[in-house]
Amino acid sequence: MRTLSEIDVVGVVGAGTMGNGIAQVAATAGYEVVMRDIETEYVERGLDDIDDSLSRLDAKDALDEGAAAIRERVDGTTELADLAAADLVIEAAVEDLDVKREIFADLEGVTDGDVVLATNTSTLSITTIASATDRASDVVGLHFMNPVPIMEGVEVVVGERTDPAVAEFAHAFAEDLDKTTWESDDKPGFVTNRILMPWINEGIRAYDEGVAEKRDIDRGMKLGTNVPMGPLELADHIGLDVVLDASETLHDELGDRYTPAYLLKRKVAAGDLGKKSGRGFYEYE
Ligand SMILES: NC(=O)c1ccc[n+]([C@@H]2O[C@H](COP(=O)([O-])OP(=O)(O)OC[C@H]3O[C@@H](n4cnc5c(N)ncnc54)[C@H](O)[C@@H]3O)[C@@H](O)[C@H]2O)c1
């Protein structure tokens, strides 16, 4: 395993909401970044999101160096082979076990044998993802929160075969990005989503069953329990498809108390995915 001081290039798989956020914070911490997605269009959108986010932070004087210098450290690509340069890879592709297992098998082929392979999965088993490789001891969960540049927390998830030194490295790397970590065993949903997903689904059910108007549900939970976002606005922020994928995994693993809300499934079927599609429970510009 490479030590923290041996990490120069961070590979990121997926240029979506989480992938481009992870690429941005790694570049901000001084790392060179190679961010890979499957289509040029997705790579470009991810790079544009990084530009926008860095400009906003720059305008608030929240960066230690110019946005342009940070942005120059991020390369976008659609070529898997470009990840060969990485000293550490963090996967943030779609929340689908088969896709992630295929990505990890590919990563094993393309990266050096001592490179840690991390996944940003919200709910899927680290152990099952790792078993797609012959290097399960190098695989660890590095679960960033959304939006990555703003949220301080990172959940380190330890699989059945994860080497304790790899878990320790994951904590140290996240701390080097100015994050604060906690650790979870590889159990469905880990700490955060095991508790968060039923809360969001119950908020959606409460709305669907007419308990209150959607704004009152969000306002009630914010003012009544001191959380920064209510369940419906948080679902829009996370992405309704991501919430549904996570809820379905938890339902499969933990049973009926994790049943996804009917209205969540209907919104996803309609293509209302939240902020990223312009419409979820609320409308966005
Ligand atoms: N959205 C959140 O709030 C949140 C928070 C924490 C963790 N996560 C997790 O992070 C991961 C990514 O979520 P997201 O919200 O960024 O999703 P997203 O839909 O915004 O982005 C996923 C990206 O992965 C790309 N992709 C698909 N297959 C790929 C492949 N084989 N190689 C490279 N790229 C590929 C897609 O083209 C897309 O651009 C998921 O595992 C999700 O559960 C999401």
Side-chain angles (χ1 to χ4, degrees):
M1 191 196 71
R2 290 180 196 188
T3 59
L4 190 58
S5 61
E6 292 168 320
I7 308 297
D8 294 319
V9 181
V10 176
V12 176
V13 178
T17 310
M18 299 305 289
N20 74 59
I22 294 166
Q24 179 183 324
V25 294
T28 303
Y31 294 99
E32 296 291 328
V33 178
V34 179
M35 179 176 75
R36 189 220 170 201
D37 208 303
I38 42 179
E39 302 281 345
T40 308
E41 179 195 340
Y42 303 147
V43 173
E44 283 172 1
R45 195 164 57 200
L47 292 171
D48 287 347
D49 285 352
I50 295 174
D51 281 333
D52 292 346
S53 172
L54 285 173
S55 303
R56 282 195 301 274
L57 291 170
D58 211 6
K60 287 190 218 157
D61 256 347
L63 299 174
D64 289 340
E65 63 179 324
I70 296 172
R71 172 64 183 79
E72 254 179 38
R73 289 198 282 272
V74 184
D75 275 337
T77 183
T78 54
E79 297 296 324
L80 176 72
D82 290 343
L83 292 169
D87 301 305
L88 158 70
V89 179
I90 305 168
E91 171 275 323
V94 282
E95 187 77 345
D96 177 306
L97 188 58
D98 292 338
V99 172
K100 289 200 193 287
R101 282 176 56 82
E102 201 178 319
I103 289 172
F104 273 71
D106 286 346
L107 287 175
E108 180 180 29
V110 85
T111 54
D112 289 343
D114 59 351
V115 167
V116 168
L117 305 176
T119 171
N120 188 54
T121 181
S122 305
T123 47
L124 297 171
S125 162
I126 309 301
T127 306
T128 311
I129 294 170
S131 70
T133 75
D134 285 330
R135 306 179 10 206
S137 59
D138 292 332
V139 177
V140 65
L142 204 46
H143 181 207
F144 289 82
M145 307 289 133
N146 179 15
V148 182
I150 307 294
M151 295 290 284
E152 187 191 337
V154 173
E155 186 166 50
V156 172
V157 188
V158 181
E160 178 71 22
R161 291 278 165 82
T162 306
D163 183 334
V166 168
E168 204 177 303
F169 165 84
H171 284 283
F173 176 75
E175 281 160 17
D176 197 50
L177 304 187
D178 239 0
K179 304 295 185 192
T180 303
T181 58
W182 62 93
E183 192 167 301
S184 171
D185 192 20
D186 183 22
K187 302 246 164 53
F190 322 131
V191 173
T192 46
N193 283 318
R194 183 180 180 117
I195 296 167
L196 181 64
M197 289 301 149
W199 183 80
I200 290 178
N201 275 286
E202 199 49 41
I204 297 170
R205 271 190 283 269
Y207 168 51
D208 204 17
E209 290 170 20
V211 172
E213 294 296 329
K214 56 192 166 191
R215 287 197 189 283
D216 285 319
I217 287 175
D218 284 333
R219 206 178 291 137
M221 293 312 292
K222 277 190 289 193
L223 296 175
T225 69
N226 212 16
V227 292
M229 281 191 221
L232 302 174
E233 50 187 337
L234 183 57
D236 275 3
H237 176 75
I238 292 171
L240 301 195
D241 52 339
V242 176
V243 173
L244 181 57
D245 286 342
S247 303
E248 282 174 340
T249 303
L250 288 164
H251 182 231
D252 289 348
E253 298 289 346
L254 299 173
D256 283 351
R257 71 190 202 270
Y258 285 91
T259 304
Y262 172 72
L263 184 58
L264 174 65
K265 292 194 270 188
R266 202 175 74 182
K267 297 289 267 178
V268 172
D272 292 350
L273 305 183
K275 273 186 190 162
K276 65 182 163 190
S277 71
R279 187 155 81 168
F281 290 103
Y282 299 98
E283 308 245 334
Y284 303 88
E285 293 286 300

